[in-house]
Amino acid sequence: MSDLVMNPGMGAAMNAPAANTSADPSARYYVKDHHPKNGSLLGFWIYLMSDCLIFACLFATYAVIGRNYAGGPTGAEIFDLNLVALNTAFLLVSSITYGVAMVGMQNRNLNKTIQWLAITGVLGLAFLAVELYEFWHFIHIGATPQSSGFLTAFFALVGTHGLHVFFGIIWLVVLLFQLKKHGLIVENRRRVMCLSMFWHFLDVIWIGVFTFVYLMGVLP
C-alpha cells in the first residue's frame, strides 16, 4: 500500500516543466517575434503586387497613346539614349551594391551593411538627378505633359517610377539611422530585406521602361 501513496512533492515536480514552459519568457518572445515577421513579409509582397498593377496600367496607357504625337516632338527627336544609358547604369549598379549590403548583413557586419547601403543611396540620388535634368530639358524645349498623349503617358510612367525611387531613398535614409542606433536586430534585418525587394522591383520596372519607352521610342 505504501508504494501507491504519492509524495506531494512528486506531483509538483511532474507539473513543473509544463508550468515553466508556459511561463518561459523566451517562448512568449518566439511567438511574438516570428508571427509579425511572417505577416510583415506577406503584407509587403501584397503591396508589391498592388504596385505591379499600377505600373501595368501605366504601361498599358503608354501602349495605347504612346504614338499620339499631336504634331509635337516624337521620342526619336527628344530622347538622348546616351543619357538614358548612364541613368540605367546608375540604377543597375545600385542593385549590385544593395546585394553587397545584404551579404554584409548575412555576415553580421554592421559597418559593411551601412557603408554599401549608403553607396546605394548615392547611386539612387544620381539616378534621380539625371531624370530631373531630362524632365527639365523636355519642358525647356516645350515638350510638356500637355503637348500630346505621348508626352502625357511618358511623364506619368517615368515620373511615377521616379517617385518610387525618391521614396525608396527616404526609406533608405531612415533605415540607416535605425541601423546606426539599434544595429542588426531582427526588426532591422527584416526592414533591410523588405527594402531590398522594393529596390530590385524598381530595377525590373526600369528595365521595362528603358526597353518599351526609350529603345522602342527611337524607332521610326
Side-chain angles (χ1 to χ4, degrees):
M1 294 290 294
S2 60
D3 293 338
L4 299 176
V5 177
M6 248 183 138
N7 189 345
M10 291 175 60
M14 292 175 63
N15 293 328
N20 289 339
T21 301
S22 61
D24 185 6
S26 64
R28 292 198 302 270
Y29 178 77
Y30 179 85
V31 173
K32 291 180 180 179
D33 177 56
H34 283 67
H35 283 284
K37 178 176 72 171
N38 296 335
S40 297
L41 292 178
L42 176 60
F44 197 76
W45 273 110
I46 294 174
Y47 160 72
L48 286 182
M49 293 304 101
S50 67
D51 243 9
C52 281
L53 294 176
I54 293 174
F55 281 105
C57 293
L58 292 173
F59 274 109
T61 302
Y62 186 87
V64 172
I65 64 175
R67 295 285 180 174
N68 295 342
Y69 303 120
T74 66
E77 295 172 346
I78 62 176
F79 289 160
D80 183 353
L81 285 186
N82 292 326
L83 187 66
V84 178
L86 175 64
N87 218 18
T88 302
F90 283 144
L91 199 59
L92 294 183
V93 172
S94 75
S95 186
I96 297 174
T97 58
Y98 203 112
V100 178
M102 290 289 291
V103 172
M105 184 185 73
Q106 294 296 329
N107 295 332
R108 306 287 181 168
N109 190 330
L110 177 61
N111 290 332
K112 182 178 180 179
T113 304
I114 292 177
Q115 174 187 357
W116 286 99
L117 284 178
I119 294 173
T120 301
V122 171
L123 290 170
L125 287 174
F127 172 86
L128 282 181
V130 174
E131 189 167 279
L132 288 174
Y133 167 77
E134 182 185 45
F135 283 2
W136 174 85
H137 174 68
F138 288 169
I139 294 173
H140 181 70
I141 63 176
T144 63
Q146 298 84 6
S147 300
S148 64
F150 154 66
L151 287 169
T152 299
F154 168 82
F155 276 97
L157 175 55
V158 181
T160 300
H161 179 271
L163 280 176
H164 278 72
V165 175
F166 174 71
F167 288 117
I169 292 174
I170 294 178
W171 183 1
L172 182 58
V173 171
V174 174
L175 183 56
L176 286 174
F177 280 106
Q178 291 173 328
L179 287 169
K180 195 70 175 177
K181 182 176 181 180
H182 302 291
L184 293 172
I185 59 175
V186 174
E187 291 80 4
N188 281 343
R189 293 201 303 271
R190 183 166 67 247
R191 290 163 185 149
V192 172
M193 289 178 59
C194 288
L195 182 54
S196 173
M197 292 188 292
F198 180 75
W199 201 264
H200 294 310
F201 167 76
L202 294 181
D203 280 356
V204 173
I205 296 298
W206 180 255
I207 291 173
V209 171
F210 178 69
T211 304
F212 189 59
V213 175
Y214 290 100
L215 291 183
M216 294 183 64
V218 298
L219 297 177

